[in-house]
């Protein structure tokens, strides 16, 4: 379960936890900021995971052997996706859903090409549904991505059995975050 955040140190995990909680609980209220944070988190985690794939490591061995690049590339990937997500709301909601499904598939089933392809197809379907139902999808997507970040950070920080607690924590945090957001944004459009 820890493949996506395996290189993270405690300060990175604490930042991931704080940002995850903010997006999970207040995603719709601060949707522009939440989109920026969510896309940054997805870009950072996605780029970090991408740099772990053997084929990528073979193409860029000199770059990936430098510690500075290993730090800067995920930050750059996060910032690029964050800038995109900040600017286009419908694309952002659909994209968050797509990338969240993709990263969850990679996290739980591995990063071989078949898993990525199946996750991508499911992600496109989920993203299409999300764009059709924008407010509920925004709340659920931000709760989901916040729960994902929170779950990964907590599992690494408290060192419990990840195989047992990953799905219950992810689903539980998503439900709590979504309910909190639906209640706190009842009169907000």
């Amino acid at each position: 379960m820890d493949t996506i955040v395996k290189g993270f140190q405690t300060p990175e995990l604490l930042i991931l936890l704080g940002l995850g909680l903010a997006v999970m609980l207040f995603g719709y209220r601060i949707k522009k900021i939440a989109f920026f944070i969510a896309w940054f988190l997805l870009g950072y985690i996605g780029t970090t995971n991408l740099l772990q794939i053997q084929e990528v490591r073979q193409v860029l061995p000199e770059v990936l052997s430098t510690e500075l690049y290993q730090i800067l590339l995920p930050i750059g990937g996060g910032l690029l996706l964050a800038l995109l997500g900040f600017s286009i709301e419908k694309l952002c909601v659909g994209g968050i859903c797509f990338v969240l499904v993709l990263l969850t598939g990679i996290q739980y089933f591995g990063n071989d090409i078949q898993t990525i392809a199946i996750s991508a197809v499911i992600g496109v379907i989920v993203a299409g549904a999300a764009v059709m139902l924008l407010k509920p999808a925004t709340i659920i997507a931000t709760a989901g991505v916040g729960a994902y970040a929170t779950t990964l950070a907590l599992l690494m920080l408290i060192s419990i059995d990840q195989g047992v607690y990953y799905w219950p924590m992810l689903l539980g945090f998503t439900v709590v975050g979504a309910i909190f957001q639906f209640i706190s944004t009842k009169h907000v459009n």
Side-chain angles (χ1 to χ4, degrees):
M1 289 299 157
D2 64 349
T3 58
I4 289 178
V5 293
K6 72 178 175 186
F8 288 18
Q9 302 299 319
T10 301
E12 291 170 309
L13 290 171
L14 290 174
I15 291 169
L16 182 65
L17 176 63
L19 293 174
L21 286 170
V23 171
M24 180 178 77
L25 296 173
F26 305 107
Y28 190 76
R29 282 208 177 269
I30 58 169
K31 68 180 154 177
K32 288 288 189 186
I33 296 168
F35 287 159
F36 187 87
I37 292 170
W39 276 103
F40 179 82
L41 291 173
L42 292 172
Y44 188 91
I45 292 169
T47 304
T48 301
N49 192 47
L50 181 68
L51 295 177
Q52 303 303 318
I53 297 174
Q54 188 62 32
E55 289 81 10
V56 174
R57 297 189 78 72
Q58 290 174 348
V59 172
L60 304 169
E62 295 85 24
V63 172
L64 295 177
S65 64
T66 306
E67 186 176 339
L68 178 64
Y69 287 122
Q70 290 177 1
I71 294 169
L72 291 180
L73 285 174
I75 292 171
L79 287 175
L80 285 173
L81 281 179
L83 292 172
L84 170 72
F86 186 72
S87 58
I88 307 169
E89 186 172 334
K90 285 185 180 180
L91 179 65
C92 185
V93 171
I96 285 174
C97 292
F98 174 79
V99 174
L100 186 59
V101 168
L102 194 64
L103 287 177
T104 301
I106 290 169
Q107 174 74 23
Y108 197 66
F109 300 108
N111 61 2
D112 59 326
I113 196 70
Q114 293 86 3
T115 301
I116 293 172
I118 292 168
S119 298
V121 169
I122 294 169
V124 167
I125 294 167
V126 170
V131 171
M132 294 166 69
L133 304 163
L134 200 54
K135 181 178 178 179
T138 301
I139 290 173
I140 293 168
T142 56
V145 78
Y148 182 72
T150 300
T151 298
L152 291 180
L154 281 176
L155 286 173
M156 292 300 293
L157 286 169
I158 58 178
S159 299
I160 59 175
D161 185 4
Q162 297 172 0
V164 172
Y165 292 104
Y166 175 76
W167 282 107
M169 287 175 70
L170 179 64
L171 296 174
F173 287 147
T174 301
V175 168
V176 168
I179 289 171
F180 183 84
Q181 287 190 59
F182 276 117
I183 290 171
S184 67
T185 62
K186 191 177 243 182
H187 302 292
V188 176
N189 288 329

